[in-house]
Coordinates of all heavy atoms in Angstrom, one line a residue:
M1 N 0.8 -1.2 0.0 CA 0.0 0.0 0.0 C 0.9 1.3 0.0 O 1.9 1.3 0.6 CB -0.9 0.0 1.2 CG -1.8 1.2 1.3 SD -2.9 1.0 2.7 CE -3.7 2.6 2.6
A2 N 0.4 2.3 -0.7 CA 1.2 3.5 -0.8 C 0.8 4.5 0.2 O -0.4 4.7 0.4 CB 1.1 4.1 -2.2
G3 N 1.7 5.2 0.9 CA 1.4 6.2 1.8 C 2.2 7.5 1.4 O 2.9 7.4 0.4
A4 N 2.1 8.5 2.2 CA 2.8 9.8 1.8 C 3.0 10.6 3.0 O 2.4 10.4 4.1 CB 1.9 10.5 0.8
S5 N 4.0 11.5 2.9 CA 4.3 12.5 3.9 C 3.3 13.7 3.8 O 2.6 13.9 2.8 CB 5.7 12.9 3.9 OG 6.0 13.6 2.6
R6 N 3.3 14.5 4.8 CA 2.4 15.6 4.9 C 2.5 16.6 3.8 O 1.5 17.1 3.2 CB 2.4 16.3 6.3 CG 1.3 17.3 6.4 CD 1.1 17.6 7.9 NE 1.8 18.9 8.2 CZ 1.6 19.5 9.4 NH1 0.9 19.0 10.3 NH2 2.3 20.6 9.6
P7 N 3.7 17.0 3.4 CA 3.8 18.0 2.3 C 3.1 17.5 1.0 O 2.5 18.3 0.3 CB 5.3 18.2 2.0 CG 5.9 17.8 3.3 CD 5.1 16.7 3.9
I8 N 3.2 16.2 0.7 CA 2.6 15.7 -0.5 C 1.0 15.7 -0.4 O 0.3 16.0 -1.4 CB 3.1 14.2 -0.7 CG1 4.6 14.2 -0.8 CG2 2.4 13.6 -1.9 CD1 5.2 14.9 -2.0
V9 N 0.6 15.4 0.8 CA -0.9 15.5 1.1 C -1.3 17.0 1.0 O -2.3 17.3 0.4 CB -1.2 14.9 2.5 CG1 -2.6 15.2 2.9 CG2 -0.9 13.4 2.5
D10 N -0.5 17.9 1.7 CA -0.9 19.3 1.7 C -1.0 19.9 0.3 O -1.8 20.7 0.0 CB 0.1 20.1 2.5 CG -0.1 19.8 4.0 OD1 -1.1 19.2 4.4 OD2 0.8 20.3 4.8
D11 N -0.1 19.4 -0.6 CA -0.1 19.9 -2.0 C -1.2 19.2 -2.9 O -1.3 19.5 -4.0 CB 1.3 19.6 -2.6 CG 2.3 20.6 -2.1 OD1 1.9 21.6 -1.4 OD2 3.5 20.5 -2.4
G12 N -1.9 18.3 -2.3 CA -3.0 17.7 -3.0 C -2.7 16.5 -3.9 O -3.5 16.1 -4.7
W13 N -1.5 16.0 -3.8 CA -1.1 14.9 -4.7 C -1.7 13.6 -4.2 O -2.0 12.7 -5.0 CB 0.4 14.7 -4.7 CG 1.2 15.7 -5.4 CD1 1.0 17.1 -5.3 CD2 2.2 15.5 -6.4 NE1 1.9 17.7 -6.2 CE2 2.6 16.8 -6.8 CE3 2.8 14.4 -6.9 CZ2 3.6 17.0 -7.8 CZ3 3.8 14.5 -7.9 CH2 4.2 15.8 -8.3
V14 N -1.9 13.4 -2.9 CA -2.4 12.2 -2.3 C -3.5 12.5 -1.3 O -3.4 13.6 -0.6 CB -1.2 11.4 -1.6 CG1 -1.7 10.2 -0.8 CG2 -0.1 11.0 -2.6
D15 N -4.5 11.7 -1.2 CA -5.6 11.9 -0.2 C -5.0 11.9 1.2 O -4.1 11.1 1.5 CB -6.6 10.9 -0.4 CG -7.9 11.2 0.4 OD1 -8.6 12.1 0.0 OD2 -8.0 10.6 1.4
S16 N -5.6 12.7 2.1 CA -5.2 12.7 3.5 C -5.3 11.4 4.2 O -4.6 11.2 5.2 CB -5.9 13.8 4.2 OG -7.3 13.6 4.2
S17 N -6.2 10.5 3.7 CA -6.3 9.2 4.4 C -5.1 8.4 4.3 O -4.9 7.4 4.9 CB -7.5 8.5 3.8 OG -7.3 8.2 2.4
R18 N -4.2 8.8 3.4 CA -2.9 8.0 3.2 C -1.7 8.7 3.8 O -0.6 8.2 3.7 CB -2.6 7.9 1.7 CG -3.6 6.9 1.0 CD -3.3 6.6 -0.4 NE -4.2 5.6 -0.9 CZ -3.9 4.4 -1.3 NH1 -2.6 4.0 -1.3 NH2 -4.8 3.6 -1.7
Q19 N -1.9 9.8 4.6 CA -0.8 10.4 5.2 C -0.3 9.5 6.4 O -1.1 9.0 7.2 CB -1.2 11.8 5.8 CG -0.1 12.5 6.5 CD -0.5 13.8 7.0 OE1 -1.1 14.6 6.3 NE2 -0.1 14.2 8.3
V20 N 1.0 9.3 6.4 CA 1.7 8.5 7.4 C 2.3 9.5 8.5 O 2.9 10.5 8.1 CB 2.8 7.7 6.8 CG1 3.6 7.0 7.9 CG2 2.2 6.6 5.9
G21 N 2.0 9.2 9.7 CA 2.7 10.0 10.8 C 1.8 10.4 11.9 O 0.7 9.9 12.1
L22 N 2.4 11.3 12.7 CA 1.7 11.8 13.9 C 0.3 12.2 13.7 O -0.6 11.9 14.5 CB 2.6 13.0 14.4 CG 2.4 13.5 15.9 CD1 2.7 12.4 16.9 CD2 3.2 14.7 16.1
T23 N 0.1 13.0 12.7 CA -1.3 13.4 12.4 C -2.0 12.6 11.3 O -3.0 13.1 10.7 CB -1.3 14.9 12.1 OG1 -0.3 15.2 11.1 CG2 -1.1 15.8 13.3
G24 N -1.3 11.5 10.9 CA -1.9 10.6 9.9 C -2.0 9.2 10.4 O -2.5 9.0 11.6
R25 N -1.7 8.3 9.6 CA -1.8 6.9 10.0 C -0.6 6.3 10.6 O 0.5 6.6 10.3 CB -2.2 6.0 8.8 CG -3.6 6.4 8.2 CD -3.8 5.7 6.9 NE -4.0 4.3 7.1 CZ -4.9 3.5 6.4 NH1 -5.6 4.1 5.5 NH2 -5.0 2.3 6.7
I26 N -0.8 5.3 11.5 CA 0.3 4.5 12.1 C 0.4 3.2 11.3 O -0.7 2.6 11.2 CB 0.1 4.2 13.6 CG1 -0.2 5.5 14.4 CG2 1.3 3.5 14.2 CD1 0.9 6.5 14.6
T27 N 1.5 2.9 10.7 CA 1.6 1.7 9.9 C 2.7 0.8 10.5 O 3.6 1.3 11.1 CB 2.0 2.0 8.5 OG1 3.3 2.7 8.5 CG2 1.0 2.9 7.8
R28 N 2.5 -0.5 10.4 CA 3.5 -1.5 10.8 C 3.7 -2.5 9.8 O 3.5 -3.7 10.0 CB 3.0 -2.2 12.1 CG 3.0 -1.2 13.3 CD 2.5 -2.0 14.6 NE 2.4 -1.0 15.7 CZ 1.4 -0.2 15.9 NH1 0.3 -0.2 15.0 NH2 1.4 0.6 16.9
P29 N 4.2 -2.1 8.6 CA 4.3 -3.1 7.5 C 5.6 -3.9 7.7 O 6.5 -3.6 8.5 CB 4.4 -2.2 6.2 CG 5.1 -0.9 6.8 CD 4.5 -0.7 8.1
V30 N 5.7 -5.0 6.9 CA 6.9 -5.8 6.9 C 8.0 -4.9 6.3 O 9.2 -5.0 6.8 CB 6.7 -7.1 6.1 CG1 8.0 -7.9 6.0 CG2 5.6 -7.9 6.8
L31 N 7.7 -4.2 5.2 CA 8.7 -3.4 4.5 C 8.1 -2.0 4.3 O 7.0 -1.9 3.7 CB 9.1 -4.0 3.2 CG 10.0 -3.1 2.3 CD1 11.4 -2.9 3.0 CD2 10.2 -3.7 0.9
Y32 N 8.9 -1.0 4.7 CA 8.5 0.4 4.5 C 9.5 1.0 3.6 O 10.7 1.1 4.0 CB 8.4 1.2 5.8 CG 7.7 2.6 5.6 CD1 6.4 2.7 5.5 CD2 8.5 3.7 5.5 CE1 5.8 4.0 5.3 CE2 8.0 5.0 5.3 CZ 6.6 5.1 5.2 OH 6.0 6.3 5.0
L33 N 9.2 1.3 2.3 CA 10.1 1.9 1.4 C 9.9 3.4 1.4 O 8.9 3.9 0.8 CB 9.9 1.2 0.0 CG 10.8 1.8 -1.2 CD1 12.3 1.7 -0.8 CD2 10.5 1.0 -2.4
A34 N 10.9 4.1 1.9 CA 10.8 5.5 2.1 C 11.5 6.2 0.9 O 12.8 6.3 0.9 CB 11.3 6.0 3.4
A35 N 10.8 6.7 0.0 CA 11.4 7.3 -1.2 C 11.3 8.8 -1.1 O 10.1 9.3 -1.1 CB 10.8 6.8 -2.5
G36 N 12.4 9.5 -1.0 CA 12.3 11.0 -0.9 C 11.7 11.4 0.4 O 11.0 12.4 0.4
I37 N 11.9 10.7 1.5 CA 11.4 11.0 2.8 C 12.6 11.5 3.7 O 13.5 10.7 3.8 CB 10.7 9.8 3.4 CG1 9.4 9.4 2.6 CG2 10.3 10.0 4.9 CD1 8.3 10.4 2.7
S38 N 12.4 12.6 4.3 CA 13.6 13.2 5.1 C 13.8 12.4 6.4 O 15.0 12.4 6.8 CB 13.3 14.7 5.4 OG 12.1 14.8 6.2
G39 N 12.7 11.9 7.0 CA 12.9 11.2 8.2 C 12.5 12.1 9.4 O 13.0 11.9 10.5
A40 N 11.7 13.1 9.2 CA 11.2 14.0 10.3 C 10.5 13.1 11.3 O 9.8 12.2 11.0 CB 10.3 15.0 9.7
S41 N 10.7 13.5 12.6 CA 10.1 12.7 13.7 C 8.6 12.5 13.5 O 8.1 11.5 13.8 CB 10.5 13.3 15.0 OG 9.9 14.6 15.1
Q42 N 7.9 13.6 13.1 CA 6.4 13.5 12.9 C 6.0 12.5 11.9 O 5.0 11.9 12.0 CB 5.8 14.8 12.6 CG 6.0 15.9 13.6 CD 7.3 16.7 13.5 OE1 8.1 16.4 12.7 NE2 7.4 17.7 14.3
H43 N 6.9 12.3 10.9 CA 6.6 11.2 9.9 C 6.9 9.8 10.4 O 6.2 8.9 10.3 CB 7.3 11.5 8.6 CG 7.0 10.5 7.5 ND1 5.9 10.6 6.7 CD2 7.6 9.3 7.2 CE1 5.8 9.6 5.9 NE2 6.8 8.7 6.1
M44 N 8.1 9.8 11.1 CA 8.6 8.5 11.6 C 7.7 7.9 12.7 O 7.6 6.7 12.9 CB 10.0 8.6 12.1 CG 11.0 9.1 11.1 SD 10.9 8.2 9.5 CE 11.3 6.5 9.9
A45 N 6.9 8.8 13.4 CA 5.9 8.3 14.4 C 4.9 7.3 13.7 O 4.4 6.5 14.4 CB 5.2 9.5 15.0
G46 N 4.8 7.4 12.4 CA 3.8 6.6 11.7 C 4.4 5.4 11.1 O 3.6 4.6 10.5
C47 N 5.7 5.2 11.0 CA 6.3 4.1 10.3 C 7.5 3.4 10.9 O 8.0 2.4 10.4 CB 6.6 4.5 8.9 SG 7.9 5.8 8.8
S48 N 7.9 4.0 12.1 CA 9.2 3.4 12.6 C 9.0 2.0 13.2 O 9.9 1.3 13.5 CB 9.8 4.4 13.7 OG 8.8 4.6 14.7
A49 N 7.7 1.6 13.4 CA 7.5 0.2 13.8 C 7.5 -0.8 12.7 O 7.3 -2.0 12.9 CB 6.1 0.2 14.5
A50 N 7.8 -0.3 11.5 CA 7.9 -1.3 10.4 C 9.0 -2.3 10.7 O 10.0 -2.0 11.3 CB 8.2 -0.5 9.1
K51 N 8.8 -3.5 10.2 CA 9.9 -4.5 10.4 C 11.2 -4.1 9.8 O 12.2 -4.2 10.4 CB 9.4 -5.9 9.9 CG 10.2 -7.0 10.3 CD 9.4 -8.3 10.3 CE 10.2 -9.4 11.0 NZ 10.7 -10.4 10.2
T52 N 11.1 -3.7 8.6 CA 12.3 -3.2 7.8 C 12.0 -1.9 7.1 O 11.0 -1.8 6.5 CB 12.7 -4.3 6.8 OG1 13.0 -5.5 7.5 CG2 14.0 -3.8 6.0
I53 N 12.9 -1.0 7.3 CA 12.8 0.3 6.5 C 13.9 0.4 5.5 O 15.1 0.2 5.9 CB 12.8 1.5 7.5 CG1 11.6 1.5 8.4 CG2 12.9 2.8 6.7 CD1 11.6 2.6 9.5
A54 N 13.6 0.6 4.3 CA 14.6 0.9 3.2 C 14.4 2.3 2.7 O 13.2 2.7 2.6 CB 14.4 -0.1 2.1
A55 N 15.5 3.0 2.5 CA 15.3 4.4 2.2 C 16.1 4.8 0.9 O 17.2 4.3 0.7 CB 15.8 5.3 3.3
I56 N 15.5 5.7 0.1 CA 16.2 6.3 -1.0 C 16.2 7.8 -0.8 O 15.1 8.3 -0.7 CB 15.6 5.9 -2.4 CG1 15.4 4.4 -2.5 CG2 16.4 6.4 -3.5 CD1 14.5 4.0 -3.7
N57 N 17.3 8.4 -0.8 CA 17.3 9.8 -0.6 C 18.6 10.4 -1.3 O 19.7 9.8 -1.2 CB 17.3 10.2 0.9 CG 16.9 11.6 1.1 OD1 17.5 12.6 0.7 ND2 15.8 11.8 1.9
T58 N 18.5 11.6 -1.9 CA 19.6 12.2 -2.5 C 20.6 12.8 -1.5 O 21.8 13.0 -1.9 CB 19.1 13.4 -3.5 OG1 18.2 14.2 -2.8 CG2 18.5 12.8 -4.7
D59 N 20.1 13.0 -0.3 CA 21.0 13.6 0.8 C 21.5 12.5 1.6 O 20.8 11.9 2.4 CB 20.1 14.6 1.6 CG 20.9 15.2 2.7 OD1 22.1 15.0 2.9 OD2 20.2 16.0 3.5
K60 N 22.8 12.3 1.6 CA 23.4 11.2 2.3 C 23.3 11.4 3.8 O 23.4 10.5 4.6 CB 24.9 11.0 2.0 CG 25.8 12.1 2.4 CD 27.3 11.8 2.1 CE 28.2 13.0 2.3 NZ 28.1 13.6 3.6
D61 N 23.1 12.7 4.3 CA 22.9 13.0 5.7 C 21.5 13.0 6.1 O 21.2 13.4 7.3 CB 23.6 14.3 6.0 CG 25.1 14.3 5.7 OD1 25.7 13.3 6.0 OD2 25.6 15.3 5.2
A62 N 20.5 12.6 5.3 CA 19.1 12.6 5.7 C 18.9 11.8 6.9 O 19.4 10.7 7.0 CB 18.2 12.2 4.5
A63 N 18.0 12.3 7.8 CA 17.7 11.6 9.0 C 17.1 10.2 8.8 O 17.3 9.3 9.6 CB 16.7 12.4 9.9
I64 N 16.4 10.0 7.7 CA 15.8 8.7 7.4 C 16.9 7.5 7.5 O 16.5 6.4 7.8 CB 15.1 8.7 6.0 CG1 14.3 7.4 5.8 CG2 16.0 8.9 4.9 CD1 13.1 7.3 6.7
F65 N 18.1 7.8 7.1 CA 19.1 6.8 7.1 C 19.5 6.3 8.5 O 20.0 5.2 8.7 CB 20.4 7.2 6.3 CG 20.2 7.4 4.9 CD1 20.5 8.6 4.2 CD2 19.6 6.4 4.1 CE1 20.3 8.7 2.8 CE2 19.4 6.5 2.7 CZ 19.8 7.7 2.1
R66 N 19.1 7.1 9.5 CA 19.3 6.6 10.9 C 18.3 5.5 11.3 O 18.5 4.7 12.2 CB 19.2 7.8 11.9 CG 20.3 8.8 11.7 CD 20.5 9.6 13.0 NE 19.4 10.4 13.3 CZ 19.3 11.7 13.0 NH1 20.2 12.3 12.2 NH2 18.2 12.4 13.3
Y67 N 17.2 5.5 10.6 CA 16.1 4.5 10.8 C 16.2 3.3 9.9 O 15.6 2.2 10.2 CB 14.7 5.1 10.7 CG 14.4 6.3 11.6 CD1 14.8 7.6 11.2 CD2 13.8 6.1 12.8 CE1 14.5 8.6 12.1 CE2 13.5 7.1 13.6 CZ 13.8 8.4 13.3 OH 13.5 9.5 14.1
A68 N 16.9 3.5 8.7 CA 16.8 2.5 7.7 C 17.8 1.3 7.8 O 18.9 1.6 8.2 CB 17.0 3.2 6.3
R69 N 17.3 0.1 7.6 CA 18.2 -1.0 7.5 C 19.0 -1.0 6.2 O 20.2 -1.4 6.2 CB 17.5 -2.3 7.7 CG 18.4 -3.5 7.8 CD 17.8 -4.8 8.0 NE 17.1 -4.8 9.3 CZ 16.4 -5.8 9.8 NH1 16.2 -6.9 9.0 NH2 15.7 -5.8 10.9
Y70 N 18.3 -0.6 5.2 CA 18.9 -0.5 3.8 C 18.8 0.9 3.3 O 17.7 1.5 3.4 CB 18.3 -1.5 2.8 CG 18.3 -2.9 3.3 CD1 17.1 -3.5 3.9 CD2 19.5 -3.7 3.3 CE1 17.2 -4.8 4.3 CE2 19.5 -5.0 3.8 CZ 18.3 -5.5 4.3 OH 18.4 -6.8 4.8
G71 N 19.8 1.5 2.7 CA 19.7 2.8 2.2 C 20.5 3.0 0.9 O 21.5 2.4 0.7
V72 N 19.9 3.8 0.0 CA 20.5 4.1 -1.2 C 20.6 5.6 -1.4 O 19.5 6.3 -1.2 CB 19.8 3.5 -2.4 CG1 20.5 3.9 -3.7 CG2 19.6 2.0 -2.3
V73 N 21.7 6.2 -1.6 CA 21.8 7.6 -1.9 C 21.7 7.8 -3.4 O 22.5 7.3 -4.2 CB 23.2 8.2 -1.4 CG1 23.3 9.7 -1.7 CG2 23.3 8.0 0.1
G74 N 20.6 8.5 -3.7 CA 20.4 8.8 -5.2 C 18.9 9.3 -5.4 O 18.2 9.4 -4.5
D75 N 18.7 9.4 -6.7 CA 17.4 10.0 -7.1 C 16.3 8.8 -7.1 O 16.4 7.8 -7.8 CB 17.5 10.5 -8.6 CG 16.2 11.0 -9.2 OD1 15.2 11.1 -8.4 OD2 16.2 11.2 -10.4
C76 N 15.3 9.0 -6.3 CA 14.3 7.9 -6.1 C 13.5 7.7 -7.4 O 13.1 6.5 -7.6 CB 13.4 8.2 -4.9 SG 12.4 9.7 -5.1
V77 N 13.4 8.6 -8.2 CA 12.6 8.4 -9.5 C 13.4 7.4 -10.4 O 12.9 6.4 -10.9 CB 12.3 9.7 -10.2 CG1 11.6 9.5 -11.5 CG2 11.5 10.6 -9.3
A78 N 14.7 7.7 -10.5 CA 15.5 6.9 -11.4 C 15.7 5.5 -10.7 O 15.5 4.4 -11.4 CB 16.9 7.5 -11.5
I79 N 15.8 5.4 -9.4 CA 16.1 4.1 -8.8 C 14.8 3.3 -8.8 O 14.8 2.1 -9.1 CB 16.6 4.3 -7.4 CG1 18.1 4.9 -7.5 CG2 16.6 3.0 -6.5 CD1 18.6 5.5 -6.2
L80 N 13.7 3.9 -8.5 CA 12.4 3.1 -8.5 C 12.0 2.7 -9.9 O 11.5 1.6 -10.1 CB 11.3 4.0 -7.9 CG 11.3 4.2 -6.4 CD1 10.2 5.1 -5.9 CD2 11.2 2.9 -5.7
T81 N 12.4 3.5 -10.9 CA 12.2 3.0 -12.3 C 13.0 1.8 -12.6 O 12.5 0.8 -13.2 CB 12.6 4.2 -13.3 OG1 11.8 5.3 -13.0 CG2 12.3 3.8 -14.7
E82 N 14.2 1.7 -12.2 CA 15.1 0.6 -12.4 C 14.6 -0.6 -11.6 O 14.5 -1.8 -12.1 CB 16.5 0.9 -12.0 CG 17.3 1.8 -13.0 CD 17.2 1.3 -14.4 OE1 17.4 0.1 -14.7 OE2 16.9 2.1 -15.3
L83 N 14.2 -0.4 -10.3 CA 13.7 -1.5 -9.5 C 12.4 -2.1 -10.1 O 12.2 -3.3 -10.1 CB 13.3 -1.0 -8.1 CG 14.5 -0.8 -7.1 CD1 14.0 -0.3 -5.8 CD2 15.2 -2.2 -6.9
T84 N 11.5 -1.2 -10.6 CA 10.3 -1.7 -11.2 C 10.6 -2.6 -12.5 O 10.0 -3.6 -12.7 CB 9.4 -0.5 -11.6 OG1 9.2 0.3 -10.5 CG2 8.0 -1.0 -12.1
K85 N 11.6 -2.1 -13.3 CA 12.0 -2.9 -14.5 C 12.5 -4.2 -14.0 O 12.1 -5.3 -14.6 CB 13.1 -2.1 -15.2 CG 12.6 -1.3 -16.4 CD 13.8 -0.9 -17.2 CE 13.8 0.6 -17.5 NZ 15.0 1.2 -17.9
A86 N 13.4 -4.2 -13.0 CA 14.0 -5.5 -12.6 C 12.9 -6.4 -12.0 O 12.9 -7.6 -12.3 CB 15.0 -5.2 -11.5
A87 N 11.9 -5.9 -11.3 CA 10.8 -6.7 -10.7 C 10.0 -7.4 -11.8 O 9.5 -8.4 -11.7 CB 10.0 -5.9 -9.8
K88 N 9.9 -6.7 -13.0 CA 9.1 -7.2 -14.1 C 10.0 -8.1 -15.0 O 9.5 -8.6 -16.0 CB 8.6 -6.0 -15.0 CG 7.5 -5.3 -14.3 CD 7.0 -4.1 -15.2 CE 5.8 -3.4 -14.5 NZ 5.5 -2.2 -15.2
G89 N 11.2 -8.3 -14.5 CA 12.1 -9.3 -15.2 C 12.8 -8.7 -16.4 O 13.4 -9.4 -17.3
G90 N 12.9 -7.4 -16.5 CA 13.6 -6.8 -17.7 C 14.4 -5.7 -17.2 O 15.1 -5.0 -17.8
Ligands
LIG101 C1 2.4 19.1 14.6 C2 3.0 18.5 13.4 C3 2.5 17.3 12.9 C4 3.0 16.8 11.7 N1 2.5 15.6 11.3 C5 3.1 15.0 10.2 C6 2.6 13.7 9.8 O1 1.7 13.1 10.3 N2 3.2 13.2 8.7 C7 4.3 13.8 8.0 O2 4.8 13.2 7.1 N3 4.7 15.0 8.4 C8 4.1 15.6 9.5 N4 4.6 16.8 9.9 C9 5.6 17.5 9.0 C10 7.0 17.0 9.3 O3 7.6 17.8 10.3 C11 7.9 17.2 8.0 O4 7.8 18.5 7.5 C12 7.5 16.2 6.9 O5 7.4 14.9 7.3 C13 8.5 16.3 5.8 O6 8.1 15.5 4.7 P1 9.1 15.0 3.6 O7 10.2 14.3 4.3 O8 8.4 14.3 2.6 O9 9.6 16.4 2.9 P2 10.9 17.2 3.0 O10 11.2 17.6 4.4 O11 10.7 18.3 2.0 O12 12.1 16.2 2.6 C14 12.2 15.7 1.3 C15 13.4 14.8 1.3 O13 13.4 14.2 0.0 C16 14.8 14.2 -0.5 N5 14.7 14.3 -1.9 C17 14.3 15.3 -2.7 N6 14.3 15.0 -4.0 C18 14.7 13.6 -4.1 C19 14.8 12.7 -5.1 N7 14.6 13.0 -6.4 N8 15.2 11.4 -4.8 C20 15.4 11.1 -3.5 N9 15.3 11.9 -2.5 C21 14.9 13.2 -2.7 C22 15.4 15.4 0.2 O14 16.8 15.2 0.3 C23 14.7 15.4 1.6 O15 15.4 14.6 2.5 C24 4.1 17.4 11.0 C25 4.6 18.6 11.5 C26 4.1 19.2 12.7 C27 4.7 20.4 13.2

């Protein structure tokens, strides 16, 4: 299931029912893939109970990497495009 941080919800990209965090939903998934998420405490309140957190962020010093078991420094759009291709077998 896809969730989002507050700025994305506030900008109207995603419905508020999908906001993860202090003022959103608390999630406990097996895998939380945080793409372009800074790791602000108010967001992490909604996902830090995930079994595994994997993060993609262009900023190597982003707070999310303190929570993530797996981390990739880079552009999440490019990396997710490659991951999707690989998952489809090509
Ligand atoms: C009372 C209160 C309650 C709040 N409740 C919530 C809540 O419930 N949920 C919530 O999410 N927030 C909440 N917030 C807001 C919270 O403090 C943060 O502002 C918010 O979580 C930041 O969201 P973000 O990480 O998506 O955005 P940003 O802080 O803008 O960070 C974007 C991140 O993406 C990275 N990035 C940019 N472009 C790329 C790219 N192409 N590829 C990879 N990485 C990229 C940047 O390096 C940065 O780390 C609350 C704040 C307050 C004061």
Side-chain angles (χ1 to χ4, degrees):
M1 182 175 174
S5 61
R6 191 161 95 171
I8 302 298
V9 170
D10 287 349
D11 285 353
W13 287 48
V14 172
D15 188 77
S16 61
S17 62
R18 291 188 175 241
Q19 180 176 315
V20 172
L22 195 61
T23 47
R25 295 172 70 142
I26 308 290
T27 60
R28 290 182 184 80
V30 174
L31 173 66
Y32 190 79
L33 176 55
I37 294 290
S38 61
S41 60
Q42 294 89 353
H43 184 83
M44 299 314 295
C47 64
S48 56
K51 189 154 193 249
T52 300
I53 297 176
I56 307 170
N57 199 300
T58 46
D59 177 5
K60 69 175 174 47
D61 297 320
I64 189 69
F65 291 128
R66 294 205 294 268
Y67 299 89
R69 183 175 299 177
Y70 305 104
V72 180
V73 176
D75 175 11
C76 62
V77 177
I79 290 164
L80 288 175
T81 301
E82 288 306 315
L83 278 178
T84 306
K85 263 193 229 161
K88 287 179 177 168

